[in-house]
Amino acid sequence: MIAMWVKARIKPEQRKRFLDAIEIDALGSERDEAACYRFNVLQDEQDPNVYYFYEVYKDQAALEAHRTMPHYATWRAATDTLDGATQATRCSTVFPSADEYWARKR
């Protein structure tokens, strides 16, 4: 399993466009990709121009498949709303450890 934290800083004047695009990607990921177990978007409480994505995929193949999806293309088309490059950190899931937890239907 692959879990990722992605930090993104946005241009404040582009907030609406950024939020529209990342919402399409996040909702589409969980809805349309059986091997995307989680895609949450969080806003930093101290800096409203910083967002974090928490993504969990079954495996590397699932992550690569995610990057071919139409909702991901929507997000990629809006990356000019970012103020610099995103910072991704890969993690391993520890708890819950059961595959059934991650793969359950929403």
Side-chain angles (χ1 to χ4, degrees):
M1 203 157 350
I2 297 173
M4 298 172 51
W5 281 109
V6 179
K7 179 180 180 181
R9 176 175 291 283
I10 66 160
K11 298 171 185 170
E13 67 277 7
Q14 293 290 324
R15 183 178 320 280
K16 181 175 179 350
R17 187 164 163 249
F18 163 80
L19 289 173
D20 289 346
I22 198 59
E23 181 180 26
I24 288 168
D25 190 27
L27 294 176
S29 297
E30 287 195 358
R31 181 190 62 229
D32 300 338
E33 299 175 45
C36 176
Y37 297 153
R38 178 82 31 95
F39 196 125
N40 301 129
V41 179
L42 306 115
Q43 183 180 35
D44 192 299
E45 286 188 359
Q46 307 239 344
D47 186 342
N49 298 318
V50 173
Y51 290 82
Y52 301 94
F53 315 150
Y54 176 58
E55 305 173 49
V56 180
Y57 299 92
K58 179 180 180 181
D59 53 25
Q60 184 64 34
L63 177 57
E64 291 170 12
H66 166 71
R67 293 177 176 155
T68 69
M69 300 298 288
H71 48 263
Y72 182 79
T74 298
W75 156 243
R76 292 299 305 162
T79 57
D80 62 334
T81 63
L82 300 177
D83 186 10
T86 60
Q87 299 170 334
T89 302
R90 284 195 180 208
C91 305
S92 297
T93 58
V94 176
F95 179 81
S97 59
D99 289 340
E100 296 79 25
Y101 170 85
W102 292 102
R104 74 177 188 260
K105 298 291 179 192
R106 292 171 221 20

PDB file of all heavy atoms in Angstrom, residues 61-76:
ATOM      1  N   ALA A  61       0.921   0.416  -9.096  1.00  0.00           N
ATOM      2  CA  ALA A  61       0.088   0.361 -10.307  1.00  0.00           C
ATOM      3  C   ALA A  61      -1.156   1.230 -10.151  1.00  0.00           C
ATOM      4  O   ALA A  61      -1.581   1.896 -11.104  1.00  0.00           O
ATOM      5  CB  ALA A  61      -0.296  -1.086 -10.619  1.00  0.00           C
ATOM      6  N   ALA A  62      -1.742   1.245  -8.967  1.00  0.00           N
ATOM      7  CA  ALA A  62      -2.929   2.076  -8.717  1.00  0.00           C
ATOM      8  C   ALA A  62      -2.580   3.559  -8.797  1.00  0.00           C
ATOM      9  O   ALA A  62      -3.352   4.353  -9.343  1.00  0.00           O
ATOM     10  CB  ALA A  62      -3.527   1.732  -7.362  1.00  0.00           C
ATOM     11  N   LEU A  63      -1.423   3.930  -8.263  1.00  0.00           N
ATOM     12  CA  LEU A  63      -0.987   5.321  -8.342  1.00  0.00           C
ATOM     13  C   LEU A  63      -0.750   5.720  -9.796  1.00  0.00           C
ATOM     14  O   LEU A  63      -1.163   6.799 -10.231  1.00  0.00           O
ATOM     15  CB  LEU A  63       0.280   5.538  -7.507  1.00  0.00           C
ATOM     16  CG  LEU A  63       0.895   6.923  -7.558  1.00  0.00           C
ATOM     17  CD1 LEU A  63      -0.097   8.002  -7.126  1.00  0.00           C
ATOM     18  CD2 LEU A  63       2.155   6.963  -6.701  1.00  0.00           C
ATOM     19  N   GLU A  64      -0.129   4.854 -10.554  1.00  0.00           N
ATOM     20  CA  GLU A  64       0.112   5.147 -11.968  1.00  0.00           C
ATOM     21  C   GLU A  64      -1.199   5.229 -12.746  1.00  0.00           C
ATOM     22  O   GLU A  64      -1.361   6.102 -13.606  1.00  0.00           O
ATOM     23  CB  GLU A  64       1.048   4.100 -12.559  1.00  0.00           C
ATOM     24  CG  GLU A  64       2.459   4.224 -11.998  1.00  0.00           C
ATOM     25  CD  GLU A  64       3.378   3.073 -12.368  1.00  0.00           C
ATOM     26  OE1 GLU A  64       3.028   2.258 -13.254  1.00  0.00           O
ATOM     27  OE2 GLU A  64       4.460   2.985 -11.756  1.00  0.00           O
ATOM     28  N   ALA A  65      -2.150   4.370 -12.423  1.00  0.00           N
ATOM     29  CA  ALA A  65      -3.465   4.423 -13.078  1.00  0.00           C
ATOM     30  C   ALA A  65      -4.173   5.730 -12.733  1.00  0.00           C
ATOM     31  O   ALA A  65      -4.832   6.332 -13.595  1.00  0.00           O
ATOM     32  CB  ALA A  65      -4.310   3.226 -12.658  1.00  0.00           C
ATOM     33  N   HIS A  66      -4.043   6.173 -11.503  1.00  0.00           N
ATOM     34  CA  HIS A  66      -4.641   7.447 -11.069  1.00  0.00           C
ATOM     35  C   HIS A  66      -4.191   8.585 -11.981  1.00  0.00           C
ATOM     36  O   HIS A  66      -4.999   9.437 -12.372  1.00  0.00           O
ATOM     37  CB  HIS A  66      -4.248   7.725  -9.615  1.00  0.00           C
ATOM     38  CG  HIS A  66      -4.521   9.115  -9.168  1.00  0.00           C
ATOM     39  ND1 HIS A  66      -5.808   9.587  -8.955  1.00  0.00           N
ATOM     40  CD2 HIS A  66      -3.683  10.146  -8.905  1.00  0.00           C
ATOM     41  CE1 HIS A  66      -5.730  10.860  -8.573  1.00  0.00           C
ATOM     42  NE2 HIS A  66      -4.466  11.212  -8.538  1.00  0.00           N
ATOM     43  N   ARG A  67      -2.934   8.570 -12.334  1.00  0.00           N
ATOM     44  CA  ARG A  67      -2.366   9.649 -13.144  1.00  0.00           C
ATOM     45  C   ARG A  67      -2.822   9.626 -14.600  1.00  0.00           C
ATOM     46  O   ARG A  67      -2.487  10.540 -15.357  1.00  0.00           O
ATOM     47  CB  ARG A  67      -0.847   9.609 -13.039  1.00  0.00           C
ATOM     48  CG  ARG A  67      -0.389   9.945 -11.633  1.00  0.00           C
ATOM     49  CD  ARG A  67       1.091   9.846 -11.472  1.00  0.00           C
ATOM     50  NE  ARG A  67       1.480  10.270 -10.127  1.00  0.00           N
ATOM     51  CZ  ARG A  67       2.576   9.877  -9.514  1.00  0.00           C
ATOM     52  NH1 ARG A  67       3.423   9.064 -10.123  1.00  0.00           N
ATOM     53  NH2 ARG A  67       2.848  10.305  -8.293  1.00  0.00           N
ATOM     54  N   THR A  68      -3.611   8.625 -14.987  1.00  0.00           N
ATOM     55  CA  THR A  68      -4.147   8.560 -16.350  1.00  0.00           C
ATOM     56  C   THR A  68      -5.626   8.938 -16.408  1.00  0.00           C
ATOM     57  O   THR A  68      -6.206   8.964 -17.493  1.00  0.00           O
ATOM     58  CB  THR A  68      -3.989   7.142 -16.939  1.00  0.00           C
ATOM     59  OG1 THR A  68      -4.862   6.239 -16.252  1.00  0.00           O
ATOM     60  CG2 THR A  68      -2.555   6.650 -16.868  1.00  0.00           C
ATOM     61  N   MET A  69      -6.214   9.238 -15.263  1.00  0.00           N
ATOM     62  CA  MET A  69      -7.655   9.464 -15.194  1.00  0.00           C
ATOM     63  C   MET A  69      -8.040  10.889 -15.622  1.00  0.00           C
ATOM     64  O   MET A  69      -7.263  11.827 -15.428  1.00  0.00           O
ATOM     65  CB  MET A  69      -8.147   9.212 -13.767  1.00  0.00           C
ATOM     66  CG  MET A  69      -7.884   7.793 -13.270  1.00  0.00           C
ATOM     67  SD  MET A  69      -8.728   6.535 -14.234  1.00  0.00           S
ATOM     68  CE  MET A  69     -10.403   6.800 -13.701  1.00  0.00           C
ATOM     69  N   PRO A  70      -9.238  11.064 -16.155  1.00  0.00           N
ATOM     70  CA  PRO A  70      -9.700  12.401 -16.562  1.00  0.00           C
ATOM     71  C   PRO A  70      -9.726  13.400 -15.407  1.00  0.00           C
ATOM     72  O   PRO A  70      -9.398  14.580 -15.608  1.00  0.00           O
ATOM     73  CB  PRO A  70     -11.106  12.153 -17.109  1.00  0.00           C
ATOM     74  CG  PRO A  70     -11.148  10.707 -17.452  1.00  0.00           C
ATOM     75  CD  PRO A  70     -10.196  10.019 -16.519  1.00  0.00           C
ATOM     76  N   HIS A  71     -10.115  12.974 -14.206  1.00  0.00           N
ATOM     77  CA  HIS A  71     -10.147  13.916 -13.086  1.00  0.00           C
ATOM     78  C   HIS A  71      -8.740  14.375 -12.707  1.00  0.00           C
ATOM     79  O   HIS A  71      -8.558  15.509 -12.283  1.00  0.00           O
ATOM     80  CB  HIS A  71     -10.898  13.341 -11.873  1.00  0.00           C
ATOM     81  CG  HIS A  71     -10.500  11.973 -11.484  1.00  0.00           C
ATOM     82  ND1 HIS A  71     -11.206  10.860 -11.897  1.00  0.00           N
ATOM     83  CD2 HIS A  71      -9.476  11.508 -10.740  1.00  0.00           C
ATOM     84  CE1 HIS A  71     -10.632   9.769 -11.403  1.00  0.00           C
ATOM     85  NE2 HIS A  71      -9.569  10.144 -10.705  1.00  0.00           N
ATOM     86  N   TYR A  72      -7.745  13.512 -12.882  1.00  0.00           N
ATOM     87  CA  TYR A  72      -6.360  13.921 -12.633  1.00  0.00           C
ATOM     88  C   TYR A  72      -5.925  14.955 -13.678  1.00  0.00           C
ATOM     89  O   TYR A  72      -5.235  15.922 -13.352  1.00  0.00           O
ATOM     90  CB  TYR A  72      -5.428  12.707 -12.640  1.00  0.00           C
ATOM     91  CG  TYR A  72      -3.984  13.051 -12.352  1.00  0.00           C
ATOM     92  CD1 TYR A  72      -3.546  13.279 -11.054  1.00  0.00           C
ATOM     93  CD2 TYR A  72      -3.052  13.151 -13.382  1.00  0.00           C
ATOM     94  CE1 TYR A  72      -2.227  13.598 -10.784  1.00  0.00           C
ATOM     95  CE2 TYR A  72      -1.729  13.465 -13.117  1.00  0.00           C
ATOM     96  CZ  TYR A  72      -1.322  13.693 -11.820  1.00  0.00           C
ATOM     97  OH  TYR A  72      -0.014  14.002 -11.555  1.00  0.00           O
ATOM     98  N   ALA A  73      -6.359  14.767 -14.919  1.00  0.00           N
ATOM     99  CA  ALA A  73      -6.035  15.733 -15.976  1.00  0.00           C
ATOM    100  C   ALA A  73      -6.608  17.113 -15.644  1.00  0.00           C
ATOM    101  O   ALA A  73      -5.971  18.136 -15.917  1.00  0.00           O
ATOM    102  CB  ALA A  73      -6.549  15.235 -17.316  1.00  0.00           C
ATOM    103  N   THR A  74      -7.787  17.137 -15.039  1.00  0.00           N
ATOM    104  CA  THR A  74      -8.377  18.416 -14.604  1.00  0.00           C
ATOM    105  C   THR A  74      -7.466  19.092 -13.596  1.00  0.00           C
ATOM    106  O   THR A  74      -7.206  20.299 -13.672  1.00  0.00           O
ATOM    107  CB  THR A  74      -9.775  18.181 -14.008  1.00  0.00           C
ATOM    108  OG1 THR A  74     -10.621  17.625 -15.010  1.00  0.00           O
ATOM    109  CG2 THR A  74     -10.379  19.475 -13.479  1.00  0.00           C
ATOM    110  N   TRP A  75      -6.981  18.315 -12.653  1.00  0.00           N
ATOM    111  CA  TRP A  75      -6.065  18.850 -11.630  1.00  0.00           C
ATOM    112  C   TRP A  75      -4.765  19.330 -12.284  1.00  0.00           C
ATOM    113  O   TRP A  75      -4.286  20.419 -11.997  1.00  0.00           O
ATOM    114  CB  TRP A  75      -5.797  17.773 -10.575  1.00  0.00           C
ATOM    115  CG  TRP A  75      -4.513  17.953  -9.849  1.00  0.00           C
ATOM    116  CD1 TRP A  75      -3.451  17.104  -9.846  1.00  0.00           C
ATOM    117  CD2 TRP A  75      -4.135  19.051  -9.010  1.00  0.00           C
ATOM    118  NE1 TRP A  75      -2.435  17.614  -9.075  1.00  0.00           N
ATOM    119  CE2 TRP A  75      -2.831  18.810  -8.553  1.00  0.00           C
ATOM    120  CE3 TRP A  75      -4.759  20.229  -8.629  1.00  0.00           C
ATOM    121  CZ2 TRP A  75      -2.143  19.690  -7.723  1.00  0.00           C
ATOM    122  CZ3 TRP A  75      -4.085  21.111  -7.804  1.00  0.00           C
ATOM    123  CH2 TRP A  75      -2.795  20.834  -7.348  1.00  0.00           C
ATOM    124  N   ARG A  76      -4.187  18.535 -13.163  1.00  0.00           N
ATOM    125  CA  ARG A  76      -2.917  18.909 -13.804  1.00  0.00           C
ATOM    126  C   ARG A  76      -3.076  20.212 -14.600  1.00  0.00           C
ATOM    127  O   ARG A  76      -2.155  21.016 -14.658  1.00  0.00           O
ATOM    128  CB  ARG A  76      -2.421  17.797 -14.730  1.00  0.00           C
ATOM    129  CG  ARG A  76      -1.979  16.540 -14.015  1.00  0.00           C
ATOM    130  CD  ARG A  76      -0.840  16.716 -13.048  1.00  0.00           C
ATOM    131  NE  ARG A  76       0.313  17.315 -13.669  1.00  0.00           N
ATOM    132  CZ  ARG A  76       1.302  17.889 -12.999  1.00  0.00           C
ATOM    133  NH1 ARG A  76       1.298  17.937 -11.690  1.00  0.00           N
ATOM    134  NH2 ARG A  76       2.322  18.426 -13.626  1.00  0.00           N
TER     135      ARG A  76
END
